[in-house]
Amino acid sequence: KNEVEQSPQNLTAQEGEFITINCSYSVGISALHWLQQHPGGGIVSLFMLSSGKKKHGRLIATINIQEKHSSLHITASHPRDSAVYICAVPRGAQKLVFGQGTRLTINP
Amino acid sequence: DTAVSQTPKYLVTQMGNDKSIKCEQNLGHDTMYWYKQDSKKFLKIMFSYNNKELIINETVPNRFSPKSPDKAHLNLHINSLELGDSAVYFCASSPTGQPGNTIYFGEGSWLTVV
């Protein structure tokens, strides 16, 4: 079992729907990253958070350190949100361990 | 200006060849990385460098040799390419090592070994 698990692996929704992607990890961490990989392959860092909640536009990330769980929410989803969303946790000073990714497809 | 740039973006080569992927960051970061994304889309770290010094070598075959001429560059040289080396290779950088820093990725280099 991977130490970072995401669910669901695939998610298809209609434009406008509220989206939730979950990430669970098995060891204690001080921060968690959410990344977005575009269909063309580029990877962009969305959030790095260590507690509570962060919001950027229609994206909201939450983390519960005690429960070892984080969620990424997208409000009013749009087809341009279609991408793979990846959570990652640090393991040591210079290493990230990644989840397997959630492939999100938003249909118009 | 692209923050983390890597070249080439696409590379098709025959088994047994030697190839290099170059990476440069203009963010002034101290730490650079190479990640490999396999066919199942899993990302795994290969190497990390801090100020030109190797910090992590994640049990990568010694056919892979990173070279950091200065802290803005981290090139990946691969000898005797094998079919299993086909993957997407991402260069990345961060101000210092994890965990508290945002990481910036290059656009990826698609390597296909035939």
Side-chain angles (χ1 to χ4, degrees):
Chain A
K1 189 175 167 152
N2 196 35
E3 62 182 289
V4 181
E5 291 284 340
Q6 289 184 233
S7 63
Q9 290 192 30
N10 294 282
L11 178 57
T12 300
Q14 290 299 120
E15 184 173 356
E17 287 189 39
F18 182 80
I19 302 299
T20 296
I21 299 170
N22 297 300
C23 176
S24 297
Y25 49 92
S26 56
V27 295
I29 62 168
S30 57
L32 180 142
H33 299 253
W34 279 103
L35 310 169
Q36 179 192 54
Q37 185 167 23
H38 302 297
I43 299 174
V44 174
S45 178
L46 296 175
F47 295 102
M48 195 272 297
L49 69 165
S50 54
S51 65
K53 180 167 80 173
K54 283 191 175 181
K55 186 175 189 290
H56 186 255
R58 295 180 294 104
L59 299 175
I60 303 166
T62 63
I63 189 168
N64 185 320
I65 294 290
Q66 287 74 29
E67 294 187 2
K68 297 185 173 63
H69 181 268
S70 176
S71 293
L72 177 68
H73 305 285
I74 306 175
T75 61
S77 59
H78 190 275
R80 64 175 175 267
D81 297 325
S82 298
V84 176
Y85 293 83
I86 304 168
C87 71
V89 301
R91 184 60 56 240
Q94 298 214 2
K95 177 179 170 181
L96 284 176
V97 176
F98 297 85
Q100 75 274 40
T102 294
R103 183 174 300 276
L104 174 65
T105 303
I106 304 295
N107 292 319
Chain B
D1 265 353
T2 305
V4 182
S5 59
Q6 52 183 112
T7 55
K9 188 172 176 69
Y10 300 101
L11 182 55
V12 181
T13 188
Q14 290 189 324
M15 277 196 309
N17 283 350
D18 303 338
K19 291 293 177 186
S20 293
I21 306 172
K22 295 185 176 181
C23 179
E24 175 182 4
Q25 54 96 2
N26 62 6
L27 298 166
H29 289 168
D30 287 339
T31 306
M32 295 186 72
Y33 312 83
W34 276 108
Y35 289 91
K36 180 180 179 181
Q37 188 173 42
D38 60 24
S39 57
K40 296 183 179 178
K41 302 297 185 184
F42 246 119
L43 274 162
K44 286 190 177 179
I45 191 164
M46 299 174 69
F47 302 102
S48 77
Y49 269 72
N50 191 60
N51 274 320
K52 303 193 300 175
E53 182 183 346
L54 176 67
I55 303 298
I56 291 178
N57 179 341
E58 194 71 2
T59 60
V60 179
N62 58 16
R63 296 183 296 104
F64 291 77
S65 53
K67 286 187 171 53
S68 182
D70 54 62
K71 75 172 193 177
H73 294 84
L74 181 62
N75 304 322
L76 183 65
H77 188 76
I78 315 170
N79 289 327
S80 302
L81 278 154
E82 300 177 357
L83 292 176
D85 298 331
S86 296
V88 186
Y89 294 85
F90 286 94
C91 179
S93 73
S94 64
T96 60
Q98 301 300 319
N101 290 286
T102 299
I103 186 165
Y104 297 81
F105 287 85
E107 290 292 303
S109 294
W110 272 252
L111 173 65
T112 302
V113 182
V114 296

